[in-house]
């Protein structure tokens, strides 16, 4: 019995060492590319693209769960040919940190994002959000309506769904046990399943070449980010339950682009949202999976450009 305990402890220490070394190597491979902005309760990593003096509102891009701003950068590079684009690592993700892991809800992260935009001198923006961040963009529009010129949602989460956020996320969110697992087995396990998990998110489309590397997905396997991501997922359902009755309050133009999605159901989220919001447009793409910004980037960029053009036209008319 004692021998088994000693062996188990030794294995745990070895896995913790592997995780610590792995986190250092991952961070060296994928260093921050932007600037850090301090806000109440967080330090946010921001990358700015395109001309700062572009006509029209800036475009703010927010990534989903298990991700970071690099997942939005190919779309950002495309839009930045004509617009100022601001990519943000959500609090606790990528190179952004947050003081409390419990600051996981769209309401709290919305306040942090808006504070960062204020520090960047951005008064109003078009908010482009994917997946988990759909609920965040909607929360920004609800709590800070004067800061949102328009919203473009890509396969967004907006409503409660049946079931939970996955057993492993529940465990990782548990005090003591969660951090113990995150600092030992999560990284080795993550390396084994990263490619298959990515294929599932993109299905039925193939995964772009070098996506895991180019999107810096492996940053997720660092313990502090994995724990933050789990908390985001576990607390999201209750958060959208609280905010869904208010969607009719959103007056900003809203464009929703979704596929026939097995990750985030279009029927549960996008269609009801389009029916509830006052000024919503819904585009459903048969045969398209969850990663809309990679599958139809021209369409997404066109929707953003159309919305930005309307903002400019309305501003000129008002003069």
């Amino acid at each position: 019995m004692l021998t088994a305990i000693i062996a188990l402890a030794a294995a745990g220490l070895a896995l913790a060492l592997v995780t610590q070394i792995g986190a250092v190597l991952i961070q060296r491979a994928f260093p921050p590319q932007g600037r850090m902005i301090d806000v109440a309760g967080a330090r946010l990593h921001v990358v700015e693209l395109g001309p700062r003096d572009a006509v029209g509102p800036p475009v703010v891009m927010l990534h989903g769960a298990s991700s970071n701003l690099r997942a939005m950068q190919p779309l950002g590079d495309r839009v930045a040919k004509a617009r100022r684009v601001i990519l943000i690592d959500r609090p606790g993700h990528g190179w952004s940190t947050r003081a409390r892991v419990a600051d996981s809800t769209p309401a709290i992260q919305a306040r942090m994002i808006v504070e960062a935009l204020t520090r960047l001198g951005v008064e109003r923006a078009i908010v482009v959000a994917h997946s988990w961040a759909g609920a965040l963009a909607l929360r920004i529009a609800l709590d800070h309506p004067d800061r949102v010129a328009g919203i473009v949602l890509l396969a967004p989460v907006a409503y409660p769904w049946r079931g939970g956020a996955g057993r492993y996320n529940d465990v990782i969110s548990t005090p003591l046990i969660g951090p113990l697992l995150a600092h030992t087995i999560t990284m080795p396990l993550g390396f084994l399943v990263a490619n298959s998990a990515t294929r599932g998110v993109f299905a039925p489309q193939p995964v772009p070449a070098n996506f895991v590397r180019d999107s810096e997905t492996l940053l997720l396997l660092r313990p502090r980010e994995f724990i933050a991501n789990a908390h985001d997922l576990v607390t999201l359902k209750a958060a959208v339950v609280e905010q869904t009755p208010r969607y009719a309050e959103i007056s900003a133009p809203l464009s929703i682009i979704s596929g026939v999605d097995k990750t985030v159901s279009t029927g549960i989220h996008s269609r009801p949202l389009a029916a509830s919001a006052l000024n919503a447009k819904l585009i459903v793409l048969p045969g398209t999976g969850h990663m809309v910004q990679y599958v139809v980037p021209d369409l997404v960029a066109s929707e953003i450009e159309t919305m930005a053009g309307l903002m400019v036209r309305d501003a000129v008319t008002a003069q």
Side-chain angles (χ1 to χ4, degrees):
M1 181 68 177
L2 180 60
T3 302
I5 293 173
I6 292 173
L8 187 62
L13 288 173
L15 288 170
L17 181 60
V18 167
T19 295
Q20 186 174 10
I21 294 171
V24 171
L25 294 176
I26 288 170
Q27 292 191 154
R28 286 180 180 175
F30 307 118
Q33 301 297 314
R35 59 186 286 197
M36 307 302 296
I37 298 178
D38 291 316
V39 300
R43 194 167 196 236
L44 302 186
H45 176 228
V46 175
V47 170
E48 295 190 69
L49 307 171
R52 292 180 62 89
D53 59 350
V55 176
V59 178
V60 176
M61 296 191 176
L62 303 173
H63 64 86
S66 308
S67 185
N68 62 74
L69 65 78
R70 291 281 282 170
M72 302 296 286
Q73 187 150 355
L75 176 63
D77 288 337
R78 189 176 298 248
V79 175
K81 294 174 182 177
R83 303 286 170 192
R84 181 186 180 189
V85 173
I86 300 168
L87 306 171
I88 303 177
D89 277 332
R90 289 196 294 104
H93 295 260
W95 284 97
S96 291
T97 61
R98 64 193 195 215
R100 301 192 316 149
V101 71
D103 286 345
S104 57
T105 63
I108 294 173
Q109 294 190 25
R111 188 261 303 161
M112 293 174 174
I113 297 293
V114 167
E115 184 177 346
L117 294 177
T118 300
R119 293 184 180 276
L120 288 168
V122 175
E123 295 183 0
R124 298 177 78 233
I126 293 174
V127 181
V128 180
H130 178 239
S131 194
W132 191 103
L136 172 57
L138 292 166
R139 191 70 195 214
I140 295 173
L142 289 169
D143 292 351
H144 311 274
D146 56 320
R147 309 302 295 272
V148 177
I151 311 167
V152 178
L153 300 183
L154 312 175
V157 175
Y159 285 84
W161 61 95
R162 297 177 68 179
R167 182 64 60 85
Y168 198 67
N169 288 311
D170 290 335
V171 174
I172 293 295
S173 300
T174 303
L176 299 179
I177 297 175
L180 177 63
L181 295 177
H183 283 85
T184 53
I185 69 170
T186 291
M187 183 171 289
L189 202 61
F191 274 110
L192 291 176
V193 304
N195 287 324
S196 62
T198 301
R199 286 194 296 270
V201 173
F202 271 90
Q205 278 72 44
V207 180
N210 302 316
F211 172 81
V212 172
R213 182 198 67 194
D214 294 344
S215 64
E216 302 183 359
T217 298
L218 295 181
L219 287 170
L220 171 67
L221 301 182
R222 296 170 299 164
R224 64 96 173 158
E225 181 170 352
F226 202 88
I227 293 169
N229 186 66
H231 277 267
D232 286 1
L233 289 167
V234 167
T235 58
L236 180 59
K237 186 174 181 178
V240 294
V241 167
E242 190 271 330
Q243 69 185 44
T244 51
R246 299 179 56 199
Y247 289 156
E249 299 173 19
I250 297 174
S251 59
L254 170 61
S255 181
I256 309 163
I257 306 174
S258 294
V260 181
D261 193 340
K262 293 183 178 180
T263 302
V264 176
S265 168
T266 297
I268 292 174
H269 300 277
S270 295
R271 292 189 187 278
L273 178 61
S276 296
L278 296 176
N279 194 11
K281 171 185 178 182
L282 174 62
I283 300 173
V284 177
L285 305 170
T288 300
H290 187 57
M291 300 298 282
V292 175
Q293 67 270 38
Y294 284 86
V295 181
V296 288
D298 290 337
L299 172 63
V300 176
S302 176
E303 284 297 306
I304 296 169
E305 186 60 31
T306 297
M307 189 171 288
L310 290 174
M311 304 296 121
V312 173
R313 186 197 66 187
D314 291 346
V316 171
T317 302
Q319 293 175 358

